[in-house]
Amino acid sequence: MKKILILGLFVLATIGVNAQAYKVGDEAKDFKLKNVDGKHISLADYKDAKGFIVIFTCNHCPFSVAYEDRIIEIDKKYKSKGYPVIAINPNDPELYESDSFDNMIKRSKEKSFTFPYLIDETQEVFKRYGATKTPHVFILSNNSGKYTVEYIGAIDNNYKDASEVTSRYVDNAVDALLQNKKPEITSTKAIGCGIKTKG
Amino acid sequence: MKIRLQLLLFLALLLSIKLAEAQEIKTYNFNELEPIFHHQNDTTYVINFWAMWCKPCVEELPEFEDIRKDYSNQKVKVILISLDFGKNVTDRLTKFLERKDIHARVILLDDPDADSWIGKVDKNWDGALPATVIYKKDIREVFTRQISYDELAKSIDNLNKKMN
C-alpha cells in the first residue's frame, strides 16, 4: 500500500513537472534571479527589449563550455537589436561544486560574459520553463511585458565545432522575429548535460 | 643482470596482457550506429548514453557492468555509447574504462548534429544525459535519467517474459 502511495506521488510529481514545461506559443512568466554581480534581474527590467534569448547553461558541462564563445557572439549580435541573452545556471551547486555561485562569478569574469549569468537558487525557474539540460535555449518575444515562447531547443547544429555549423537555429529564429515573422524552425532537440537536482 | 632481464620480460608480458584486455573503441556517426537500435533477434539490448564527465552517468556505469556480468548466460547485450569529445578522446576513454574496470562494449558517437538523431533514438528522449534504451525486437523502454541495477534487471526480465 505504501509503495503504491509513493508510486502515485511520484507519478503526480512527474505530471506536475511536465504540465509546467513551456511549449512554443505559451506565455512565459517573468522571474527574479541573482546575477553574478549580486543584483537581482527580471525580464521586466528590460523596458526596451523586443524579446529575450534565455539560455540555461552552466560551468561544469562540456556542451555548455563548447558553446560559451558562441553565446557571447549571439549576445553581442542581438542585444543591440533588442534581443539580449539571459543565461541561467539551473544546477544544484551542492551536486556540482563547479556550478557554485562563486565559480559562476569566476567563469563570467574569465570569459568576460557580456550577458547576465543568473543562479536559479530554488530551481523553480528551470522547472517552470521545462529546461532539461544545459545548454537549453528558450527564445521569448516581449509584447509590453507579455512574454511568448517562440523557440525551444539547441543553439545550432554542431555542438563540437562552431566553424562547421550549417544551421544557426537561434540566429534564424531571432532574425525572423525581428522581421515580425514566426521562426521557420520553432523547436529542435539539443544534446546536453541533464540538470542536477536533489528533488 | 639475468634477473633484471627476466623481470623486464615479465613486465613486458604483463603489459601485453593489459593491452590485450583493453577494447578497441570504435567511432561511429549516427547512421553507422543506428542499426543497433533495430535488431530483430532474440537478444535484449541495453544501450546507455553517457560521458566521462557526467557524474550521474559515471555513477551508474557499475550497475551496467554488473548487469552485463549477471546476465552473461542470457541473451543480453550491454552497449555503452560515449558522447565524449576533445583531444585524445579514445585514449582517455580506454584508460578510464580500465581504471573503472568496465568491460562492456563502448562505442564513441561522433555526430555533432544532435537534432538530426536524438529523435531517432527515441521520441521521448530530448537529449539530456544520461539516457538508456532497453529493447528486444519491437518492444522498448527508455529511461531519460540515472537508472539503478534493480530497474535495469526488472526491465530486462519483463521484456523476456513478454517475448516468450
PDB file of all heavy atoms in Angstrom, chain A residues 38-74:
ATOM      1  N   GLY A  38      25.654  40.230  -8.101  1.00  0.00           N
ATOM      2  CA  GLY A  38      24.951  40.342  -6.824  1.00  0.00           C
ATOM      3  C   GLY A  38      23.565  40.965  -6.937  1.00  0.00           C
ATOM      4  O   GLY A  38      22.758  40.867  -6.022  1.00  0.00           O
ATOM      5  N   LYS A  39      23.291  41.616  -8.062  1.00  0.00           N
ATOM      6  CA  LYS A  39      21.968  42.239  -8.249  1.00  0.00           C
ATOM      7  C   LYS A  39      20.963  41.218  -8.764  1.00  0.00           C
ATOM      8  O   LYS A  39      21.340  40.262  -9.436  1.00  0.00           O
ATOM      9  CB  LYS A  39      22.067  43.389  -9.259  1.00  0.00           C
ATOM     10  CG  LYS A  39      22.850  44.575  -8.737  1.00  0.00           C
ATOM     11  CD  LYS A  39      22.948  45.657  -9.791  1.00  0.00           C
ATOM     12  CE  LYS A  39      23.917  46.739  -9.343  1.00  0.00           C
ATOM     13  NZ  LYS A  39      24.663  47.312 -10.471  1.00  0.00           N
ATOM     14  N   HIS A  40      19.696  41.473  -8.453  1.00  0.00           N
ATOM     15  CA  HIS A  40      18.649  40.590  -8.956  1.00  0.00           C
ATOM     16  C   HIS A  40      18.121  41.120 -10.287  1.00  0.00           C
ATOM     17  O   HIS A  40      17.981  42.331 -10.459  1.00  0.00           O
ATOM     18  CB  HIS A  40      17.526  40.452  -7.934  1.00  0.00           C
ATOM     19  CG  HIS A  40      17.904  39.536  -6.809  1.00  0.00           C
ATOM     20  ND1 HIS A  40      18.762  39.924  -5.805  1.00  0.00           N
ATOM     21  CD2 HIS A  40      17.575  38.242  -6.557  1.00  0.00           C
ATOM     22  CE1 HIS A  40      18.936  38.904  -4.959  1.00  0.00           C
ATOM     23  NE2 HIS A  40      18.229  37.875  -5.395  1.00  0.00           N
ATOM     24  N   ILE A  41      17.830  40.208 -11.185  1.00  0.00           N
ATOM     25  CA  ILE A  41      17.401  40.612 -12.529  1.00  0.00           C
ATOM     26  C   ILE A  41      16.079  39.952 -12.893  1.00  0.00           C
ATOM     27  O   ILE A  41      15.854  38.782 -12.604  1.00  0.00           O
ATOM     28  CB  ILE A  41      18.509  40.255 -13.562  1.00  0.00           C
ATOM     29  CG1 ILE A  41      19.630  41.289 -13.443  1.00  0.00           C
ATOM     30  CG2 ILE A  41      17.957  40.198 -14.988  1.00  0.00           C
ATOM     31  CD1 ILE A  41      20.682  41.185 -14.491  1.00  0.00           C
ATOM     32  N   SER A  42      15.210  40.774 -13.526  1.00  0.00           N
ATOM     33  CA  SER A  42      13.940  40.278 -14.056  1.00  0.00           C
ATOM     34  C   SER A  42      13.838  40.696 -15.516  1.00  0.00           C
ATOM     35  O   SER A  42      14.478  41.665 -15.926  1.00  0.00           O
ATOM     36  CB  SER A  42      12.765  40.913 -13.312  1.00  0.00           C
ATOM     37  OG  SER A  42      12.728  40.463 -11.991  1.00  0.00           O
ATOM     38  N   LEU A  43      13.006  40.004 -16.249  1.00  0.00           N
ATOM     39  CA  LEU A  43      12.782  40.396 -17.646  1.00  0.00           C
ATOM     40  C   LEU A  43      12.166  41.798 -17.687  1.00  0.00           C
ATOM     41  O   LEU A  43      12.455  42.589 -18.591  1.00  0.00           O
ATOM     42  CB  LEU A  43      11.852  39.391 -18.338  1.00  0.00           C
ATOM     43  CG  LEU A  43      12.333  37.931 -18.385  1.00  0.00           C
ATOM     44  CD1 LEU A  43      11.300  37.042 -19.074  1.00  0.00           C
ATOM     45  CD2 LEU A  43      13.675  37.818 -19.113  1.00  0.00           C
ATOM     46  N   ALA A  44      11.341  42.103 -16.700  1.00  0.00           N
ATOM     47  CA  ALA A  44      10.647  43.402 -16.665  1.00  0.00           C
ATOM     48  C   ALA A  44      11.629  44.571 -16.555  1.00  0.00           C
ATOM     49  O   ALA A  44      11.273  45.714 -16.876  1.00  0.00           O
ATOM     50  CB  ALA A  44       9.660  43.426 -15.498  1.00  0.00           C
ATOM     51  N   ASP A  45      12.868  44.286 -16.119  1.00  0.00           N
ATOM     52  CA  ASP A  45      13.877  45.356 -16.034  1.00  0.00           C
ATOM     53  C   ASP A  45      14.255  45.874 -17.421  1.00  0.00           C
ATOM     54  O   ASP A  45      14.771  46.973 -17.553  1.00  0.00           O
ATOM     55  CB  ASP A  45      15.164  44.845 -15.357  1.00  0.00           C
ATOM     56  CG  ASP A  45      14.906  44.335 -13.953  1.00  0.00           C
ATOM     57  OD1 ASP A  45      13.904  44.764 -13.349  1.00  0.00           O
ATOM     58  OD2 ASP A  45      15.687  43.492 -13.474  1.00  0.00           O
ATOM     59  N   TYR A  46      14.047  45.042 -18.428  1.00  0.00           N
ATOM     60  CA  TYR A  46      14.456  45.421 -19.789  1.00  0.00           C
ATOM     61  C   TYR A  46      13.264  46.042 -20.506  1.00  0.00           C
ATOM     62  O   TYR A  46      12.531  45.370 -21.216  1.00  0.00           O
ATOM     63  CB  TYR A  46      14.933  44.194 -20.560  1.00  0.00           C
ATOM     64  CG  TYR A  46      16.200  43.570 -20.041  1.00  0.00           C
ATOM     65  CD1 TYR A  46      16.193  42.806 -18.869  1.00  0.00           C
ATOM     66  CD2 TYR A  46      17.408  43.718 -20.720  1.00  0.00           C
ATOM     67  CE1 TYR A  46      17.349  42.227 -18.384  1.00  0.00           C
ATOM     68  CE2 TYR A  46      18.575  43.135 -20.239  1.00  0.00           C
ATOM     69  CZ  TYR A  46      18.531  42.393 -19.070  1.00  0.00           C
ATOM     70  OH  TYR A  46      19.677  41.806 -18.591  1.00  0.00           O
ATOM     71  N   LYS A  47      13.103  47.350 -20.288  1.00  0.00           N
ATOM     72  CA  LYS A  47      11.896  48.009 -20.828  1.00  0.00           C
ATOM     73  C   LYS A  47      11.870  47.992 -22.360  1.00  0.00           C
ATOM     74  O   LYS A  47      10.815  47.888 -22.967  1.00  0.00           O
ATOM     75  CB  LYS A  47      11.837  49.462 -20.335  1.00  0.00           C
ATOM     76  CG  LYS A  47      11.733  49.579 -18.810  1.00  0.00           C
ATOM     77  CD  LYS A  47      10.296  49.407 -18.330  1.00  0.00           C
ATOM     78  CE  LYS A  47      10.213  49.539 -16.814  1.00  0.00           C
ATOM     79  NZ  LYS A  47       9.932  48.251 -16.148  1.00  0.00           N
ATOM     80  N   ASP A  48      13.052  48.117 -22.979  1.00  0.00           N
ATOM     81  CA  ASP A  48      13.080  48.272 -24.439  1.00  0.00           C
ATOM     82  C   ASP A  48      13.283  46.970 -25.199  1.00  0.00           C
ATOM     83  O   ASP A  48      13.339  46.973 -26.425  1.00  0.00           O
ATOM     84  CB  ASP A  48      14.205  49.245 -24.838  1.00  0.00           C
ATOM     85  CG  ASP A  48      13.989  50.609 -24.210  1.00  0.00           C
ATOM     86  OD1 ASP A  48      12.803  50.977 -24.040  1.00  0.00           O
ATOM     87  OD2 ASP A  48      14.977  51.270 -23.863  1.00  0.00           O
ATOM     88  N   ALA A  49      13.431  45.849 -24.471  1.00  0.00           N
ATOM     89  CA  ALA A  49      13.729  44.582 -25.158  1.00  0.00           C
ATOM     90  C   ALA A  49      12.533  44.123 -25.990  1.00  0.00           C
ATOM     91  O   ALA A  49      11.381  44.182 -25.539  1.00  0.00           O
ATOM     92  CB  ALA A  49      14.103  43.515 -24.143  1.00  0.00           C
ATOM     93  N   LYS A  50      12.824  43.701 -27.206  1.00  0.00           N
ATOM     94  CA  LYS A  50      11.761  43.136 -28.057  1.00  0.00           C
ATOM     95  C   LYS A  50      11.537  41.667 -27.697  1.00  0.00           C
ATOM     96  O   LYS A  50      10.540  41.065 -28.084  1.00  0.00           O
ATOM     97  CB  LYS A  50      12.173  43.231 -29.525  1.00  0.00           C
ATOM     98  CG  LYS A  50      12.253  44.666 -30.014  1.00  0.00           C
ATOM     99  CD  LYS A  50      12.786  44.720 -31.435  1.00  0.00           C
ATOM    100  CE  LYS A  50      13.011  46.168 -31.850  1.00  0.00           C
ATOM    101  NZ  LYS A  50      13.983  46.261 -32.955  1.00  0.00           N
ATOM    102  N   GLY A  51      12.531  41.126 -27.013  1.00  0.00           N
ATOM    103  CA  GLY A  51      12.437  39.734 -26.588  1.00  0.00           C
ATOM    104  C   GLY A  51      13.707  39.316 -25.878  1.00  0.00           C
ATOM    105  O   GLY A  51      14.557  40.168 -25.570  1.00  0.00           O
ATOM    106  N   PHE A  52      13.813  38.033 -25.623  1.00  0.00           N
ATOM    107  CA  PHE A  52      14.960  37.526 -24.855  1.00  0.00           C
ATOM    108  C   PHE A  52      15.430  36.182 -25.396  1.00  0.00           C
ATOM    109  O   PHE A  52      14.621  35.395 -25.890  1.00  0.00           O
ATOM    110  CB  PHE A  52      14.580  37.336 -23.387  1.00  0.00           C
ATOM    111  CG  PHE A  52      14.140  38.604 -22.719  1.00  0.00           C
ATOM    112  CD1 PHE A  52      12.791  38.958 -22.696  1.00  0.00           C
ATOM    113  CD2 PHE A  52      15.068  39.465 -22.146  1.00  0.00           C
ATOM    114  CE1 PHE A  52      12.386  40.141 -22.106  1.00  0.00           C
ATOM    115  CE2 PHE A  52      14.667  40.652 -21.552  1.00  0.00           C
ATOM    116  CZ  PHE A  52      13.317  40.992 -21.532  1.00  0.00           C
ATOM    117  N   ILE A  53      16.736  35.973 -25.274  1.00  0.00           N
ATOM    118  CA  ILE A  53      17.283  34.656 -25.578  1.00  0.00           C
ATOM    119  C   ILE A  53      17.709  34.071 -24.229  1.00  0.00           C
ATOM    120  O   ILE A  53      18.778  34.382 -23.709  1.00  0.00           O
ATOM    121  CB  ILE A  53      18.479  34.761 -26.555  1.00  0.00           C
ATOM    122  CG1 ILE A  53      18.043  35.521 -27.828  1.00  0.00           C
ATOM    123  CG2 ILE A  53      19.019  33.369 -26.890  1.00  0.00           C
ATOM    124  CD1 ILE A  53      19.199  35.985 -28.701  1.00  0.00           C
ATOM    125  N   VAL A  54      16.812  33.298 -23.627  1.00  0.00           N
ATOM    126  CA  VAL A  54      17.077  32.723 -22.305  1.00  0.00           C
ATOM    127  C   VAL A  54      17.809  31.385 -22.519  1.00  0.00           C
ATOM    128  O   VAL A  54      17.287  30.493 -23.191  1.00  0.00           O
ATOM    129  CB  VAL A  54      15.761  32.492 -21.525  1.00  0.00           C
ATOM    130  CG1 VAL A  54      16.038  31.817 -20.185  1.00  0.00           C
ATOM    131  CG2 VAL A  54      15.026  33.820 -21.320  1.00  0.00           C
ATOM    132  N   ILE A  55      19.015  31.296 -21.962  1.00  0.00           N
ATOM    133  CA  ILE A  55      19.796  30.074 -22.152  1.00  0.00           C
ATOM    134  C   ILE A  55      20.152  29.456 -20.803  1.00  0.00           C
ATOM    135  O   ILE A  55      20.839  30.069 -19.987  1.00  0.00           O
ATOM    136  CB  ILE A  55      21.102  30.342 -22.941  1.00  0.00           C
ATOM    137  CG1 ILE A  55      20.779  31.070 -24.264  1.00  0.00           C
ATOM    138  CG2 ILE A  55      21.861  29.028 -23.208  1.00  0.00           C
ATOM    139  CD1 ILE A  55      21.994  31.372 -25.130  1.00  0.00           C
ATOM    140  N   PHE A  56      19.625  28.261 -20.560  1.00  0.00           N
ATOM    141  CA  PHE A  56      20.027  27.525 -19.363  1.00  0.00           C
ATOM    142  C   PHE A  56      21.383  26.897 -19.677  1.00  0.00           C
ATOM    143  O   PHE A  56      21.516  26.127 -20.636  1.00  0.00           O
ATOM    144  CB  PHE A  56      18.977  26.476 -18.998  1.00  0.00           C
ATOM    145  CG  PHE A  56      17.689  27.104 -18.531  1.00  0.00           C
ATOM    146  CD1 PHE A  56      16.680  27.423 -19.440  1.00  0.00           C
ATOM    147  CD2 PHE A  56      17.505  27.433 -17.200  1.00  0.00           C
ATOM    148  CE1 PHE A  56      15.508  28.045 -19.029  1.00  0.00           C
ATOM    149  CE2 PHE A  56      16.332  28.060 -16.765  1.00  0.00           C
ATOM    150  CZ  PHE A  56      15.333  28.364 -17.684  1.00  0.00           C
ATOM    151  N   THR A  57      22.378  27.279 -18.888  1.00  0.00           N
ATOM    152  CA  THR A  57      23.731  26.803 -19.148  1.00  0.00           C
ATOM    153  C   THR A  57      24.448  26.700 -17.802  1.00  0.00           C
ATOM    154  O   THR A  57      23.859  26.993 -16.754  1.00  0.00           O
ATOM    155  CB  THR A  57      24.456  27.740 -20.144  1.00  0.00           C
ATOM    156  OG1 THR A  57      25.728  27.199 -20.456  1.00  0.00           O
ATOM    157  CG2 THR A  57      24.631  29.145 -19.575  1.00  0.00           C
ATOM    158  N   CYS A  58      25.691  26.263 -17.807  1.00  0.00           N
ATOM    159  CA  CYS A  58      26.389  26.108 -16.535  1.00  0.00           C
ATOM    160  C   CYS A  58      27.894  26.023 -16.762  1.00  0.00           C
ATOM    161  O   CYS A  58      28.352  26.086 -17.900  1.00  0.00           O
ATOM    162  CB  CYS A  58      25.892  24.861 -15.803  1.00  0.00           C
ATOM    163  SG  CYS A  58      26.354  23.337 -16.644  1.00  0.00           S
ATOM    164  N   ASN A  59      28.640  25.875 -15.683  1.00  0.00           N
ATOM    165  CA  ASN A  59      30.103  25.815 -15.776  1.00  0.00           C
ATOM    166  C   ASN A  59      30.615  24.414 -16.102  1.00  0.00           C
ATOM    167  O   ASN A  59      31.551  24.247 -16.854  1.00  0.00           O
ATOM    168  CB  ASN A  59      30.730  26.201 -14.434  1.00  0.00           C
ATOM    169  CG  ASN A  59      30.630  27.677 -14.149  1.00  0.00           C
ATOM    170  OD1 ASN A  59      30.119  28.453 -14.965  1.00  0.00           O
ATOM    171  ND2 ASN A  59      31.104  28.084 -12.992  1.00  0.00           N
ATOM    172  N   HIS A  60      30.004  23.392 -15.496  1.00  0.00           N
ATOM    173  CA  HIS A  60      30.645  22.070 -15.498  1.00  0.00           C
ATOM    174  C   HIS A  60      30.463  21.293 -16.806  1.00  0.00           C
ATOM    175  O   HIS A  60      31.224  20.384 -17.086  1.00  0.00           O
ATOM    176  CB  HIS A  60      30.129  21.222 -14.323  1.00  0.00           C
ATOM    177  CG  HIS A  60      28.935  20.394 -14.671  1.00  0.00           C
ATOM    178  ND1 HIS A  60      27.649  20.840 -14.492  1.00  0.00           N
ATOM    179  CD2 HIS A  60      28.825  19.159 -15.233  1.00  0.00           C
ATOM    180  CE1 HIS A  60      26.801  19.911 -14.903  1.00  0.00           C
ATOM    181  NE2 HIS A  60      27.482  18.880 -15.363  1.00  0.00           N
ATOM    182  N   CYS A  61      29.451  21.652 -17.567  1.00  0.00           N
ATOM    183  CA  CYS A  61      29.053  20.807 -18.693  1.00  0.00           C
ATOM    184  C   CYS A  61      29.859  21.129 -19.961  1.00  0.00           C
ATOM    185  O   CYS A  61      29.823  22.247 -20.448  1.00  0.00           O
ATOM    186  CB  CYS A  61      27.567  21.007 -18.955  1.00  0.00           C
ATOM    187  SG  CYS A  61      26.975  20.202 -20.450  1.00  0.00           S
ATOM    188  N   PRO A  62      30.575  20.148 -20.523  1.00  0.00           N
ATOM    189  CA  PRO A  62      31.378  20.391 -21.727  1.00  0.00           C
ATOM    190  C   PRO A  62      30.568  20.896 -22.919  1.00  0.00           C
ATOM    191  O   PRO A  62      31.091  21.634 -23.736  1.00  0.00           O
ATOM    192  CB  PRO A  62      31.980  19.021 -22.035  1.00  0.00           C
ATOM    193  CG  PRO A  62      32.004  18.332 -20.724  1.00  0.00           C
ATOM    194  CD  PRO A  62      30.790  18.794 -19.997  1.00  0.00           C
ATOM    195  N   PHE A  63      29.308  20.485 -23.020  1.00  0.00           N
ATOM    196  CA  PHE A  63      28.480  21.006 -24.114  1.00  0.00           C
ATOM    197  C   PHE A  63      28.273  22.514 -23.929  1.00  0.00           C
ATOM    198  O   PHE A  63      28.304  23.280 -24.881  1.00  0.00           O
ATOM    199  CB  PHE A  63      27.122  20.305 -24.165  1.00  0.00           C
ATOM    200  CG  PHE A  63      27.203  18.857 -24.538  1.00  0.00           C
ATOM    201  CD1 PHE A  63      26.936  17.869 -23.603  1.00  0.00           C
ATOM    202  CD2 PHE A  63      27.561  18.478 -25.826  1.00  0.00           C
ATOM    203  CE1 PHE A  63      27.022  16.520 -23.947  1.00  0.00           C
ATOM    204  CE2 PHE A  63      27.642  17.134 -26.182  1.00  0.00           C
ATOM    205  CZ  PHE A  63      27.373  16.157 -25.235  1.00  0.00           C
ATOM    206  N   SER A  64      28.044  22.929 -22.680  1.00  0.00           N
ATOM    207  CA  SER A  64      27.871  24.355 -22.379  1.00  0.00           C
ATOM    208  C   SER A  64      29.162  25.116 -22.653  1.00  0.00           C
ATOM    209  O   SER A  64      29.145  26.181 -23.270  1.00  0.00           O
ATOM    210  CB  SER A  64      27.472  24.554 -20.908  1.00  0.00           C
ATOM    211  OG  SER A  64      26.197  24.018 -20.675  1.00  0.00           O
ATOM    212  N   VAL A  65      30.269  24.539 -22.196  1.00  0.00           N
ATOM    213  CA  VAL A  65      31.567  25.199 -22.387  1.00  0.00           C
ATOM    214  C   VAL A  65      31.852  25.351 -23.890  1.00  0.00           C
ATOM    215  O   VAL A  65      32.316  26.399 -24.341  1.00  0.00           O
ATOM    216  CB  VAL A  65      32.695  24.403 -21.681  1.00  0.00           C
ATOM    217  CG1 VAL A  65      34.065  24.976 -22.013  1.00  0.00           C
ATOM    218  CG2 VAL A  65      32.467  24.400 -20.164  1.00  0.00           C
ATOM    219  N   ALA A  66      31.527  24.300 -24.654  1.00  0.00           N
ATOM    220  CA  ALA A  66      31.763  24.352 -26.100  1.00  0.00           C
ATOM    221  C   ALA A  66      30.975  25.485 -26.751  1.00  0.00           C
ATOM    222  O   ALA A  66      31.345  25.975 -27.817  1.00  0.00           O
ATOM    223  CB  ALA A  66      31.388  23.021 -26.735  1.00  0.00           C
ATOM    224  N   TYR A  67      29.888  25.892 -26.093  1.00  0.00           N
ATOM    225  CA  TYR A  67      29.032  26.933 -26.667  1.00  0.00           C
ATOM    226  C   TYR A  67      29.295  28.326 -26.098  1.00  0.00           C
ATOM    227  O   TYR A  67      28.720  29.295 -26.569  1.00  0.00           O
ATOM    228  CB  TYR A  67      27.552  26.575 -26.459  1.00  0.00           C
ATOM    229  CG  TYR A  67      26.968  25.737 -27.584  1.00  0.00           C
ATOM    230  CD1 TYR A  67      26.589  24.420 -27.381  1.00  0.00           C
ATOM    231  CD2 TYR A  67      26.786  26.284 -28.865  1.00  0.00           C
ATOM    232  CE1 TYR A  67      26.049  23.660 -28.416  1.00  0.00           C
ATOM    233  CE2 TYR A  67      26.247  25.535 -29.891  1.00  0.00           C
ATOM    234  CZ  TYR A  67      25.878  24.230 -29.665  1.00  0.00           C
ATOM    235  OH  TYR A  67      25.348  23.482 -30.691  1.00  0.00           O
ATOM    236  N   GLU A  68      30.156  28.455 -25.090  1.00  0.00           N
ATOM    237  CA  GLU A  68      30.322  29.757 -24.410  1.00  0.00           C
ATOM    238  C   GLU A  68      30.631  30.903 -25.378  1.00  0.00           C
ATOM    239  O   GLU A  68      29.993  31.948 -25.338  1.00  0.00           O
ATOM    240  CB  GLU A  68      31.419  29.662 -23.354  1.00  0.00           C
ATOM    241  CG  GLU A  68      30.931  29.085 -22.029  1.00  0.00           C
ATOM    242  CD  GLU A  68      32.051  28.886 -21.038  1.00  0.00           C
ATOM    243  OE1 GLU A  68      33.220  28.806 -21.449  1.00  0.00           O
ATOM    244  OE2 GLU A  68      31.742  28.807 -19.834  1.00  0.00           O
ATOM    245  N   ASP A  69      31.641  30.692 -26.238  1.00  0.00           N
ATOM    246  CA  ASP A  69      32.018  31.770 -27.160  1.00  0.00           C
ATOM    247  C   ASP A  69      30.879  32.114 -28.113  1.00  0.00           C
ATOM    248  O   ASP A  69      30.682  33.274 -28.456  1.00  0.00           O
ATOM    249  CB  ASP A  69      33.274  31.385 -27.951  1.00  0.00           C
ATOM    250  CG  ASP A  69      34.504  31.326 -27.047  1.00  0.00           C
ATOM    251  OD1 ASP A  69      34.470  31.957 -25.966  1.00  0.00           O
ATOM    252  OD2 ASP A  69      35.481  30.650 -27.407  1.00  0.00           O
ATOM    253  N   ARG A  70      30.137  31.090 -28.504  1.00  0.00           N
ATOM    254  CA  ARG A  70      29.017  31.339 -29.414  1.00  0.00           C
ATOM    255  C   ARG A  70      27.900  32.101 -28.711  1.00  0.00           C
ATOM    256  O   ARG A  70      27.226  32.930 -29.315  1.00  0.00           O
ATOM    257  CB  ARG A  70      28.490  30.010 -29.974  1.00  0.00           C
ATOM    258  CG  ARG A  70      29.365  29.481 -31.107  1.00  0.00           C
ATOM    259  CD  ARG A  70      28.906  28.136 -31.595  1.00  0.00           C
ATOM    260  NE  ARG A  70      29.641  27.040 -30.962  1.00  0.00           N
ATOM    261  CZ  ARG A  70      29.450  25.767 -31.233  1.00  0.00           C
ATOM    262  NH1 ARG A  70      28.537  25.408 -32.106  1.00  0.00           N
ATOM    263  NH2 ARG A  70      30.169  24.833 -30.633  1.00  0.00           N
ATOM    264  N   ILE A  71      27.712  31.828 -27.405  1.00  0.00           N
ATOM    265  CA  ILE A  71      26.676  32.555 -26.651  1.00  0.00           C
ATOM    266  C   ILE A  71      27.063  34.040 -26.550  1.00  0.00           C
ATOM    267  O   ILE A  71      26.223  34.930 -26.702  1.00  0.00           O
ATOM    268  CB  ILE A  71      26.458  31.910 -25.252  1.00  0.00           C
ATOM    269  CG1 ILE A  71      25.907  30.476 -25.419  1.00  0.00           C
ATOM    270  CG2 ILE A  71      25.500  32.749 -24.415  1.00  0.00           C
ATOM    271  CD1 ILE A  71      25.825  29.674 -24.126  1.00  0.00           C
ATOM    272  N   ILE A  72      28.353  34.287 -26.331  1.00  0.00           N
ATOM    273  CA  ILE A  72      28.832  35.678 -26.270  1.00  0.00           C
ATOM    274  C   ILE A  72      28.577  36.377 -27.618  1.00  0.00           C
ATOM    275  O   ILE A  72      28.081  37.505 -27.664  1.00  0.00           O
ATOM    276  CB  ILE A  72      30.337  35.715 -25.895  1.00  0.00           C
ATOM    277  CG1 ILE A  72      30.541  35.199 -24.458  1.00  0.00           C
ATOM    278  CG2 ILE A  72      30.909  37.128 -26.041  1.00  0.00           C
ATOM    279  CD1 ILE A  72      31.990  34.942 -24.068  1.00  0.00           C
ATOM    280  N   GLU A  73      28.887  35.673 -28.700  1.00  0.00           N
ATOM    281  CA  GLU A  73      28.660  36.243 -30.045  1.00  0.00           C
ATOM    282  C   GLU A  73      27.187  36.559 -30.271  1.00  0.00           C
ATOM    283  O   GLU A  73      26.845  37.613 -30.811  1.00  0.00           O
ATOM    284  CB  GLU A  73      29.138  35.257 -31.125  1.00  0.00           C
ATOM    285  CG  GLU A  73      30.643  35.154 -31.260  1.00  0.00           C
ATOM    286  CD  GLU A  73      31.318  36.505 -31.419  1.00  0.00           C
ATOM    287  OE1 GLU A  73      30.869  37.283 -32.287  1.00  0.00           O
ATOM    288  OE2 GLU A  73      32.257  36.804 -30.654  1.00  0.00           O
ATOM    289  N   ILE A  74      26.325  35.615 -29.877  1.00  0.00           N
ATOM    290  CA  ILE A  74      24.884  35.814 -30.059  1.00  0.00           C
ATOM    291  C   ILE A  74      24.425  37.046 -29.283  1.00  0.00           C
ATOM    292  O   ILE A  74      23.677  37.881 -29.783  1.00  0.00           O
ATOM    293  CB  ILE A  74      24.099  34.551 -29.611  1.00  0.00           C
ATOM    294  CG1 ILE A  74      24.310  33.425 -30.632  1.00  0.00           C
ATOM    295  CG2 ILE A  74      22.617  34.850 -29.440  1.00  0.00           C
ATOM    296  CD1 ILE A  74      23.801  32.074 -30.187  1.00  0.00           C
TER     297      ILE A  74
END
